Amino acid sequence: MSFQPQLPFQEVIEASIKDMRNSLSQVLFKLDSAIANTDGVDRNMFAEAQYEIVRMQNVISQMYGLYLVNDDKLVVSASETFVLELVEDTLAGLDALLQQKGIEVTVQGEDISWYLDSQLMETVLQIALLNALRYTNNKIDIQFQATSDGLLLSVIDNGRGYPEFILEAYDALVSGSSVDNVTSQNTGWLYCDKVVRLHTNQGRFGRTTLKNDDTTGGGRIDMLIP
Amino acid sequence: MDKSLFQAKAAQNSSVYAGLQALVADEFENSRVSIRQMLQGLGIQHVDQTSSGKGVVDACRARKYDIVLCDFRLTGGKNGQQVLEELRTLQLLKPTNIFIIVSAETGRDVVMGIMESQPDEYLSKPFTQAVLARRLERQFVQTKALSTMKTLIAKEKFDQLIPLCVKHIEENGRYATWCKRNLVDAYLNAGASQELEHLCKTEIKQREVDWALLGLARLAMAQEQFPKAVSVLQKTIQQFPQTISAYDLLAQAYEAMGRLEEAQEILNDAIKISPRIHKRQKHMAAVSLANGDPQTALKASQQTVRLGINSVHESPDDYIQLVDIVAESAANVENSTDKKRLLAEAGQALSVVTKRFGNDDSVKLRKSLAESRFHASQGQMREAQQSLQVAKQIASELEGGLPQDLVVEYGKTLYSAGEKEQAETILASLVNDQATSDALKQQASDFLDEPISLGAKAQAKSLNKQGLNHYSNKAYQDAIHEFKTALELSPRHPGLNLNYVQTCLKLMEAQGSESHMVAECVESIQRLRHVTPAHKQYKRLNALKEYLVKHYKVMF
């Protein structure tokens, strides 16, 4: 028996996401206050829980974004954004975790502004940072600078670096081959690349590259926004 | 700059926060409590909270808050966006106050609507205290740097604002883009066209940005260079499809050029992106109505009424527009249940007008007029007369008599209630009055040209179009047939009558004079007695009239 869809699915997703975000908001707050008010308990555990919440929040944004991308409905709404503020905002969300894990984050860049969609780019940066967090030894470096091709934003860790087959898979992913093996890692990267690519200026498109850093030997993602 | 530095900066500010007053609004208590605690954790001692939009407005009336953190969802009907718009209209926010909309929304239409109301900051849930601290600090730094300029904008002192903005830009200040955007408004207000053009073009040379393109378009609109505005706006939309104000402006430009169908198309695009804007839906209702598209007009008018509820934008116009549109479109509704519901909606709108705006005599008058037109459209002529008599009574008691801007509405009502001659007299005198505004003259003359239902208008329009096609293919007989059918629907339309006459003349030129055709041409010309020298078809009417007199020996 065939049946008419009873609900507009996009709105179902949107309503559900609203609920999830409200709930996460509460969980995040309760954790925040628990960390602040509790002495002598396993703070590591709280930080881990907070990390999971940030991850979930990130995955929700990603899922909705990719849903829109698939329907060709994701639109970049660029406005002038101070890059340092964007970076600091993203880091602020991961604050407790970074402290807890003892990961040193350095930010290198001038106080420049750029035309970009700050909401979408915050999710992108978050994905890049969450990845770096997973693989880093103890340092993450965020660099940005204005180049003649656009704003170059890089997230570099000092872990062991990506194996060749992952780098190849990334290149295949961004060159548009269909994704057979859907994992949270490649959907995250796909999201980053799509969002960056949707940023355009005078006929030029944004692009991303994943490689291993010459200096640290760890993973490095470059995002170029025209 | 490393991370520990910005944390230290946030901590330094706790002393600054201590003396501030904040208000938190959210429909859920646990959410209010958590945001309140976050603020207190930052050192803000005075934090009030409320759950409803009315609560925010009342609180802001009683106390000046430095920070308002308002969720989009509130209890009691008003949402955060409507609250912000109301606070601005009532001037309850100082330019240096910070209004942040908080929301867990994802839906593009909601988020776009929020952005259009331009809060100082938009904070998407969930967020940590650290994120809130960052955003607040940023707002304070910005407000501190721009407070003089923001105050000048609020006081509309553009002549003093302009040199300050220019100086900040020349010094490569951090808020140079903010200054440039505000300079566009300032230059427009000050009529400084050259400076505005220079500002925008210099920027566009470096990078095409939405505000600079919009600035050029707004300048073209102000100078009534509509084709230029259209081309700039089309480019803006192509490059920046999210720049919603470009759509609204483009629709206005098309409207000014009489290209109503394109205006409707572009409004349709705008509504797809951001439907929850009162003025946009209202504009759509008016444009689609003028296009003879009652279905679209009805939908847009219903949305207008819905969005107006609990908002500062609500006006009696919204309800009266809805009643008129229902009157027009109810005839096309076949299903009797739907029709009943629609008619009930119009009745409801009329009673809301009385309830909400009943103290205003001119609104009372308009309500009775609308009621009369509504009854007439449903064939209830006795009721139509009754409402008209009530309206006449109110009008006679109005101080200064019937306001000029209501004359057209009054004339239309007289006409629909059967008092046609009186309607024509009153509308004709409006058209001939030097003191009448062009827009009102146009409205009155449009009605005199075609005092028929929307459906009939649309039908006549399409028949006329087909007739013109035949005419350009020299198929004069076929053209005459289409024009004649159209004239049965819309007998007073000047363009249509003159098309008919001109085609008859063409045919007779080729095939020789025919007395019945000459007679019909004379009848057509005589139907156009309402066309005055100010009418755009007047010249053409006279030319054809003279031609008939000269070549066919007729008298007028």
Side-chain angles (χ1 to χ4, degrees), chain B residues 459-477:
Chain B
Q459 248 179 304
K461 191 173 167 188
S462 119
L463 287 163
N464 184 39
K465 215 168 165 183
Q466 288 166 29
L468 286 171
N469 267 337
H470 289 309
Y471 182 88
S472 63
N473 294 330
K474 299 198 168 64
Y476 301 124
Q477 283 289 9

Side-chain angles (χ1 to χ4, degrees), chain B residues 237-258:
Chain B
I237 290 172
Q238 197 199 356
Q239 296 241 19
F240 305 99
Q242 295 298 91
T243 312
I244 194 77
S245 54
Y247 293 74
D248 294 324
L249 210 55
L250 181 54
Q252 279 174 32
Y254 279 138
E255 211 181 351
M257 293 166 79

